[in-house]
């Protein structure tokens, strides 16, 4: 029913998470009505983010250039590493203002059922950061496992805690305290709850 270029835009928009057919249509018509500058700015922003944003070489957070802003910040405590599943999980932890260390982004959580094995995540890279700090960096003294309080997040935390115990017995391994909604996503936790969970983290 729609002209092919418009249908193509609807199809692409409908692929986005949380966007159904009807919303995709509404957005497509909005873009069609927008000025060429406005629509062009959206297209440019999408192209730009794909071209310019990559992963930090150290922590695998999103970065423009080789290092993310957190790893490039010399005031951060390099003896502390907070492990999260996705780049989006760094933001809520930062919002708490309770944490001054660095991060390590795994790129997901272990889930054998979905075929996600340790090799598919940045786990070996984490072990390397802990056991073999870069020249000039002090030894890591604590790893905070801030994976989601879900089945896969818990399994991932236990797997890493186990791996670290064998490789770096002197490094403290902690997990966020309870108070986080079970089965929830870090991304959706409010900063007070998450700040408290971070302050009350416990040894694993
Ligand atoms: Zn980084």
């Amino acid at each position: 029913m729609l002209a092919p270029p418009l249908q193509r835009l609807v199809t692409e928009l409908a692929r986005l998470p949380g966007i159904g057919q009807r919303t995709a249509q509404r957005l497509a018509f909005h873009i069609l009505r927008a000025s060429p500058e406005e629509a062009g700015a959206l297209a440019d922003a999408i192209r730009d983010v794909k071209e310019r944003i990559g992963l930090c070489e150290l922590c695998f957070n999103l970065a423009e250039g080789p290092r993310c802003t957190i790893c490039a910040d010399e005031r951060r405590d390099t003896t502390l590493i907070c492990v999260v599943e996705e780049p989006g999980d760094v933001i809520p932890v930062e919002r708490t203002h309770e944490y001054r260390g660095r991060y390590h982004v795994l790129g997901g959580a272990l889930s054998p059922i979905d075929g996600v094995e340790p090799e598919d995540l940045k786990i070996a890279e984490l072990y390397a950061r802990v056991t073999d700090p870069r020249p000039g960096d002090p030894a890591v003294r604590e790893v905070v496992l801030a994976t989601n309080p879900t089945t896969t997040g818990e399994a991932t935390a236990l797997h890493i805690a186990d791996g670290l115990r064998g490789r770096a017995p002197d490094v403290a391994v902690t997990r966020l305290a309870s108070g986080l909604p079970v089965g929830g996503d870090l991304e959706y936790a409010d900063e007070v709850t998450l700040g408290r969970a971070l302050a009350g983290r416990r040894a694993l």
Side-chain angles (χ1 to χ4, degrees), residues 2 28 71 98 117 127 145:
L2 297 174
C71 287
E98 289 275 349
E117 306 284 344
Y127 294 157
L145 297 171

Side-chain angles (χ1 to χ4, degrees), residues 48-159:
D48 232 37
V49 86
K50 291 307 290 177
E51 276 169 12
R52 293 170 55 181
I53 304 291
L55 296 183
C56 172
E57 61 182 11
L58 199 58
C59 75
F60 306 99
N61 189 11
L62 300 179
E64 185 181 1
R67 292 280 178 93
C68 72
T69 50
I70 292 168
C71 287
D73 183 351
E74 302 205 333
R75 292 162 304 177
R76 304 292 296 218
D77 182 352
T78 57
T79 68
L80 213 56
I81 296 178
C82 178
V83 178
V84 294
E85 293 180 21
E86 301 290 349
D89 296 332
V90 169
I91 299 158
V93 178
E94 284 295 288
R95 266 203 312 258
T96 66
H97 301 292
E98 289 275 349
Y99 183 70
R100 295 300 303 157
R102 282 182 174 170
Y103 291 88
H104 191 87
V105 181
L106 295 171
L110 290 178
S111 180
I113 257 177
D114 304 308
V116 184
E117 306 284 344
E119 313 79 70
D120 301 314
L121 305 176
K122 305 290 185 195
I123 293 179
E125 290 84 348
L126 172 66
Y127 294 157
R129 281 180 75 186
V130 173
T131 57
D132 195 12
R134 303 167 71 90
D137 272 0
V140 172
R141 62 188 168 82
E142 182 179 348
V143 174
V144 185
L145 297 171
T147 50
N148 290 326
T150 54
T151 319
T152 54
E154 291 296 345
T156 309
L158 290 177
H159 176 89

